Every structure is written in C-alpha cells, then in structure tokens.
Amino acid sequence: MVNGRTAACLAVGSELLGESRLDSNSLAITRALGRHGFQVVEKRVVGDDEPAVAAAITDLMGRVDVLIVTGGLGPTADDITREAIARALGRGLDIDPQVEGWIHAAYEARGRTMPEVSRRMARVVQGARILANHKGVAPGLLISVSERLLVALPGVPFEMEDMLEREVEPELARRGGGARRLTRTLLLGGVYESMVEERVCGLYGRFGRDNVTILASSGVVRLVLASGGEPTSAERRLDEMEKAFREVLGSDLAGVDVVSLEQAVLADLEDAGMTLAVAESCTGGLLSARLTDVPGASAVFRGGVVSYSNQAKEDLVGVPHDVL
Amino acid sequence: MVNGRTAACLAVGSELLGESRLDSNSLAITRALGRHGFQVVEKRVVGDDEPAVAAAITDLMGRVDVLIVTGGLGPTADDITREAIARALGRGLDIDPQVEGWIHAAYEARGRTMPEVSRRMARVVQGARILANHKGVAPGLLISVSERLLVALPGVPFEMEDMLEREVEPELARRGGGARRLTRTLLLGGVYESMVEERVCGLYGRFGRDNVTILASSGVVRLVLASGGEPTSAERRLDEMEKAFREVLGSDLAGVDVVSLEQAVLADLEDAGMTLAVAESCTGGLLSARLTDVPGASAVFRGGVVSYSNQAKEDLVGVPHDVL
C-alpha cells in the first residue's frame, strides 16, 4: 500500500499505557519524518519490559526503513531501552567513558554528585553513534543496521525535540535524498462522508487511492490530497488534483487549507465586507465560541446572545411569546 | 512483568498516523479494561492497510487475553477492519440481513436512501456477535477465539464509548471474574498540580502511591483515587481515602465525581435556589457553551451575551463608553 520510504514510532513506558497519558512525541517525529519523505506506517506503545521492547524492535526493524524509539533512556531500573536494543540487534553494551564524563559533568553543573544508578545512561550499544543531549542528561543513540536506521531518543518532549532537530533530521535528509511529501486539505460542509466518497471515487484511479484521505469530524468532511517526490512537481500535481476535485465537489467545498468551517465562513464574509452577529439557543454559546476562536474574527464578528431560557428568548431576541 | 489478565488496543486509520491526530480512544478503553482487572500491555496504530491490520491482529491475539480494535468499520473503501479480522482469523464474511435492515433504517430516519457503499457495513465476520450502534450506523463485532476475546468498535469516540459501556463492559465483567478497580475523582479549582502534590504526598504511604493519580487540565486538577479487590471493601476504602484527602484539600475541592467545574458550580447554585446569567467578551461564548453543556443546566442558567465588539459591550451589557 505504501510506496516510498517507511518509518515507525515506538514509545517505551508503562506510564503511556495507563488511563491518562498518550504518546504525543510521535506527532513531532511524524512531522520531521514527513519533511524528508518518510511515511509513518505504524506506531506502538510498549511498557518497561525489556523482552517485549526487544521483540517490538525486531519486528518493526524488519518492516520499515527508519524506526524511532522514544523513552526508557533514563537512569532508573525500569529504563530498559538500551538493553532492549542490544538484545534485538544481538550486540553488546559498553560503558562509554566520554558519555560517563558528560553525565558526571551534568550532575556537577547542578551542584550534585552522580548517583551510581546514573552510570547506566553511559551504556552504549556497540556500533551506535552517540547523540548528545543538550537539554538534559540521557544521550540518544543512532544505529545503522544494513540500509536501515534505528534511533533512540529520550521520552521528555523538549529533550526529544531538540535532539530530533539537531541530530536526526540531518541524517533523515541524507537518507531521504531530497524527497518530500506535500499535502493539501479540502474542507467540505453539509455533506456526509459516504456522499463525498461516492463523488470522488472516480478520481482514485487517476491520482492513486493512497493519495486521497477522507476524514469526517463534527459537521465537516476533510479531503486530504497528497503528492510525493521533488517539491516543484509535487506542488504542480496538487494543483492538478485540486482542480479535478473542485469539479466534482462544486459548492460543498468550503475552503482549501483552512482550519475550520468557521474560518472559511468568516473569510468569505470579510471578503464581502459584511459583519456577523448570532443568536443561539440550544447550542448555548458554542457557535459564538467557535467563531471567536478564529484569529482575526473581530473584523467580522460583532457579538451574540445566548437565549437559553424562554424568557431570555423574548427579552434578548424578541421572539414573540406565542412562537415559543 | 505482567501478572493477571492482559489486553491490547489497536487503532486502525491512516489519519492517526499523520502529523496532527492521536488515538485517544485508547484512554477510555484502558479505563474500562482496568475496571474489570485487565491491564493494557501494548497499544498500536496501523493505517488503512488490510494485510498490515490483519498481521497486527494475529500478532496481538497470540499474546493478550483481550484485543480491542477501533476504527475502520465505516462504509468507505478504506474501512478495512472487517476484512482484516476475517483474514487474521481465517473466517468468512457474510452480509447479515438484520444489520442491512438497521443500516437502511438509519439512512431512512435521516430522510436519505442508503448508498450502495454503505452495504459494506452489513458484512459480519462468521461467528461474531453483532454489537448494535445506538449513536451511529456502523455496528461493532465481538468474537471469542478460544479463551480470548476480539472486539471491534467504531472509531468515532461517542459511538465507541456508548458501545463499550453497553456491550463490551458486561462481557469484560464476566471474563474478569468480578475483579474490580474502583475509582473516585476529586475535582479541584484554582490550584496548580505541584501544590496539590505537596499537600497530598503525605498520604501516599497510607494509601499506596499507585492508587493516587494527579491530572492537570485546562484550569482544573483532578485527583483520581483508586482501590481494587472485592467491590464492597473497595468502596469502603475509597470512602476512607476521600475523607483523608478532603482534610488536606479543604475548600479547593470543587466536587467529587463531577464531570467539570461548571457542573459543580451549577449544582451548588441549584442547591442554593439561585439562577445565573453571564456576559462574556474574550471568552467569546465559551463560558455559556460550557455551562449549557451540563445536563439540566436550564434549571439554573438563563442565558448570556457575547459582547465581542466594543459597540456590543455598550449596547448589550451597558459598559460605559469611557471604560472601554
């Protein structure tokens, strides 16, 4: 189904399998991968369980070009990502004196002595490139396995993002060979997903099924058009796709690359030099809230009333008593 | 690493592998599983790729007691979860006339004719129990495979949650053998997470660190107290915990097992026999929207004005011109 270079994200941490936290690192990683033409085909979250993490690494490294693992690089006994990588690749783990020096220095800079457990963070998988942590202590690892790439980054988001940008993106750019995947999003109002599918399915053959994604959410349907390859030709291809899709969608198309229906409506009203006020009942202020959420809404939106009780409908909106 | 019954969540959908959306259904599922003694050991997200989804199902069904799959049950060509399950289990897929009738009726109720593509939603894996969708159209599936359980639910959160509660929890209760993990949530307003941590940390020793979770989100902090074992004693333990936590939290406690701060405020006003109206500017209707989102809000909430422009502030709220 996927042509081109593939990638996967593996988040390690039992806390990410609980009732309240999600792995959100994968979003920044997906963006960085996408910029260099790598498409994420799978995401996983596994707990702090060395054999389970090793099995996931083995499985994913057999299927994707780039695997990015986050978390489990800290000093405590449940930080087992280094050991899991060594086990999955059948390689040894050695204490690296340079890394040990960094860790000592990081503790000293905070006026503290390195606890013995923190020495674990200096264990490096044989053959790995060490990625310095400019925002914290635990270093990352970058390992070439045949033509494939395995990267381990810290789980703390700002440490992860810094290391991703400094150390991983240049490597992705080299391996991606300048490829890019661009997208354009068409927003549709007042339609159902199945209606959109029926109208656009005739275009799948021409542009490729994998380059069209239909997403339905609270009152709108989004059509995401994608095109890969060299940037100029990808952009040209998107223009061509947009033109063809506009023809079958007609006036149900509310906007292109707009965030929301309300943004599209406000932009149209502003273009027409009009202003807007609203009176709401059951929606209880939600319409006003969504309109004012659009940056620059004040150029068009004047205000509204929420006439929730019948008395308020009479007093604020002037609805005649016998209509209610 | 894990003793007891295990579970995994598999979210199907290429849109969940993009740059902006996470699978958040897994949180509600993890909570429901936890209530019946099942521990999530892995989460995965896979795109709309039938062989890839089938391979993930095969792998996970070999390792956990319960697998809950979400998404990919809709009418479009990229909704491939039914086919992937059939492939993974080596079973056939038949159009179920009863389900086809439901789907026809759902479209008719909306004054529309069923598009031919929607017939896909009536395909049922052989041997599956059909789970009716009370909030949408696509039915779910519940399949016993030896001692293990495979459940497929829609990806739309409110459809998923309704089906989880109505259809899946009773089955989990049967399989969990009466084990329960009960929780009680204390809602706090006007405090920071770190302040709460400082005030409650003295109670960790007494009730167990793992039984207390602190969650901060948009203006409120929630303290989730948990207790396992036989229901009556778990309930008694929660009463004891609540009493101890109330003592250290004092008047910052806004409510117990309330959904939101606004629900707690409306309940207090109703008890006091008072009514409420609001005037908003920057919040643009959000306050009204959140208040009217509480079931039964109309007993207390009369209405509001959104005076977004300065003119509206003068006209609707009577703010003197020179104050603005």
Side-chain angles (χ1 to χ4, degrees):
Chain A
M1 296 278 288
V2 174
N3 307 310
R5 289 162 194 259
T6 59
C9 300
L10 170 63
V12 176
S14 297
E15 73 280 11
L16 301 172
L17 294 171
E19 300 181 4
S20 55
R21 286 182 56 186
L22 293 173
D23 159 43
S24 55
N25 281 331
S26 63
L27 295 179
I29 293 170
T30 300
R31 272 191 287 275
L33 287 161
R35 278 194 285 272
H36 303 288
F38 292 89
Q39 189 185 345
V40 173
V41 295
E42 185 169 331
K43 295 187 197 181
R44 281 196 206 182
V45 181
V46 176
D48 303 311
D49 175 342
E50 189 190 317
V53 175
I57 291 170
T58 301
D59 182 21
L60 290 167
M61 283 297 283
R63 295 196 281 116
V64 295
D65 297 303
V66 176
L67 171 61
I68 299 193
V69 185
T70 50
L73 294 177
T76 66
D78 59 7
D79 289 309
I80 47 70
T81 297
R82 286 173 292 265
E83 290 72 16
I85 292 173
R87 181 194 286 235
L89 302 182
R91 298 193 188 181
L93 269 176
D94 303 312
I95 290 281
D96 184 289
Q98 187 198 3
V99 176
E100 200 176 3
W102 291 348
I103 297 169
H104 266 294
Y107 277 92
E108 263 167 34
R110 291 164 176 78
R112 297 172 52 207
T113 311
M114 184 182 92
E116 183 52 30
V117 289
S118 291
R119 210 163 166 255
R120 285 172 60 84
M121 291 190 283
R123 300 185 80 188
V124 172
V125 178
Q126 284 168 4
R129 177 150 80 79
I130 299 158
L131 308 179
N133 189 334
H134 293 264
K135 302 282 178 182
V137 180
L141 299 172
L142 189 150
I143 308 169
S144 284
V145 183
S146 309
E147 294 295 292
R148 295 172 174 192
L149 181 66
L150 171 59
V151 179
L153 300 175
V156 181
F158 67 90
E159 297 180 20
M160 187 286 295
E161 283 170 25
D162 185 70
M163 207 180 278
L164 183 67
E165 192 184 329
R166 274 180 209 261
E167 305 277 1
V168 183
E169 286 216 41
E171 181 69 27
L172 294 176
R174 258 193 301 281
R175 290 177 182 246
R180 283 285 197 285
R181 186 173 165 88
L182 302 177
T183 62
R184 193 168 295 178
T185 302
L186 311 186
L187 185 82
L188 300 151
V191 289
Y192 290 92
E193 191 178 4
S194 55
M195 291 163 61
V196 176
E197 167 90 12
E198 284 197 311
R199 280 152 72 183
V200 305
C201 61
L203 296 169
Y204 289 162
R206 182 164 160 210
F207 296 110
R209 179 72 194 81
D210 288 350
N211 292 321
V212 183
T213 309
I214 303 179
L215 302 174
S217 65
S218 56
V220 296
V221 173
R222 287 181 174 81
L223 260 176
V224 184
L225 311 178
S227 177
E230 185 269 317
T232 318
S233 70
E235 200 68 61
R236 214 161 33 226
R237 185 72 169 167
L238 284 178
D239 290 342
E240 206 184 304
M241 290 176 85
E242 181 183 327
K243 188 161 169 285
F245 280 84
R246 273 181 181 277
E247 269 166 31
V248 299
L249 297 170
S251 64
D252 289 325
L253 180 67
V256 177
D257 283 339
V258 287
V259 174
S260 60
L261 201 54
E262 47 274 25
Q263 192 195 63
V265 168
L266 288 173
D268 284 352
L269 288 173
E270 189 168 9
D271 289 346
M274 297 171 86
T275 58
L276 177 68
V278 301
E280 304 179 65
S281 174
C282 292
T283 50
L286 203 53
L287 183 56
S288 287
R290 286 182 59 168
L291 287 163
T292 55
D293 220 29
V294 178
S298 60
V300 172
F301 183 65
R302 289 288 169 268
V305 294
V306 181
S307 51
Y308 203 60
S309 66
N310 280 346
Q311 192 59 52
K313 285 185 185 64
E314 292 182 47
D315 297 347
L316 294 171
V317 194
V319 179
H321 185 75
D322 54 349
V323 171
L324 291 171
Chain B
M1 296 277 287
V2 174
N3 307 311
R5 289 162 194 259
T6 59
C9 300
L10 170 62
V12 177
S14 297
E15 73 280 10
L16 301 172
L17 293 171
E19 302 181 3
S20 55
R21 287 180 56 184
L22 293 173
D23 159 43
S24 55
N25 281 331
S26 63
L27 296 179
I29 293 170
T30 300
R31 271 191 287 275
L33 287 162
R35 277 195 283 274
H36 303 286
F38 292 89
Q39 187 185 347
V40 173
V41 296
E42 184 168 331
K43 294 188 198 181
R44 282 198 205 181
V45 181
V46 176
D48 303 311
D49 175 344
E50 187 190 318
V53 175
I57 290 170
T58 301
D59 182 21
L60 290 167
M61 282 298 283
R63 297 197 280 115
V64 296
D65 297 304
V66 176
L67 172 60
I68 299 193
V69 185
T70 50
L73 294 178
T76 66
D78 57 8
D79 289 308
I80 48 70
T81 297
R82 286 173 292 264
E83 290 72 16
I85 292 173
R87 181 194 286 235
L89 302 182
R91 298 193 188 180
L93 269 177
D94 303 313
I95 291 279
D96 184 290
Q98 188 198 3
V99 176
E100 200 176 3
W102 292 347
I103 297 170
H104 266 294
Y107 277 91
E108 262 167 35
R110 291 162 177 76
R112 298 172 50 212
T113 312
M114 184 183 92
E116 183 53 29
V117 290
S118 292
R119 211 164 165 254
R120 287 172 59 83
M121 292 189 282
R123 300 184 78 188
V124 172
V125 178
Q126 284 168 2
R129 178 149 80 80
I130 299 157
L131 308 179
N133 189 334
H134 293 263
K135 301 282 178 180
V137 180
L141 299 171
L142 189 150
I143 307 169
S144 284
V145 184
S146 309
E147 295 295 293
R148 295 172 174 193
L149 180 66
L150 171 58
V151 179
L153 301 176
V156 180
F158 66 89
E159 297 180 19
M160 188 285 295
E161 283 170 25
D162 185 70
M163 207 180 276
L164 184 67
E165 190 184 329
R166 275 180 209 260
E167 305 278 0
V168 183
E169 286 215 42
E171 182 69 26
L172 293 176
R174 259 192 300 281
R175 291 178 182 245
R180 276 286 201 286
R181 188 173 162 87
L182 300 179
T183 62
R184 193 168 295 176
T185 302
L186 311 187
L187 185 83
L188 301 152
V191 288
Y192 291 93
E193 192 176 6
S194 55
M195 290 163 60
V196 176
E197 169 90 16
E198 283 195 311
R199 281 153 72 184
V200 306
C201 61
L203 295 170
Y204 289 163
R206 181 163 159 211
F207 296 111
R209 179 72 194 83
D210 287 351
N211 291 322
V212 183
T213 309
I214 303 179
L215 302 174
S217 66
S218 57
V220 297
V221 174
R222 287 183 174 80
L223 259 176
V224 184
L225 311 179
S227 177
E230 186 269 316
T232 317
S233 70
E235 199 68 61
R236 214 160 33 224
R237 184 74 171 165
L238 284 178
D239 289 342
E240 209 184 302
M241 291 176 85
E242 181 184 327
K243 187 160 169 284
F245 279 85
R246 273 181 181 276
E247 268 166 32
V248 298
L249 296 170
S251 64
D252 290 325
L253 180 68
V256 177
D257 283 340
V258 288
V259 174
S260 60
L261 202 54
E262 47 273 25
Q263 193 196 60
V265 168
L266 288 173
D268 284 353
L269 288 172
E270 190 168 8
D271 288 346
M274 298 171 84
T275 59
L276 177 69
V278 300
E280 303 181 65
S281 174
C282 293
T283 50
L286 202 55
L287 183 57
S288 288
R290 286 181 59 169
L291 287 164
T292 54
D293 219 29
V294 178
S298 60
V300 171
F301 183 65
R302 288 289 170 266
V305 294
V306 182
S307 51
Y308 203 59
S309 67
N310 280 346
Q311 194 60 50
K313 285 185 187 64
E314 292 181 49
D315 297 348
L316 292 172
V317 194
V319 179
H321 185 74
D322 52 351
V323 171
L324 290 169

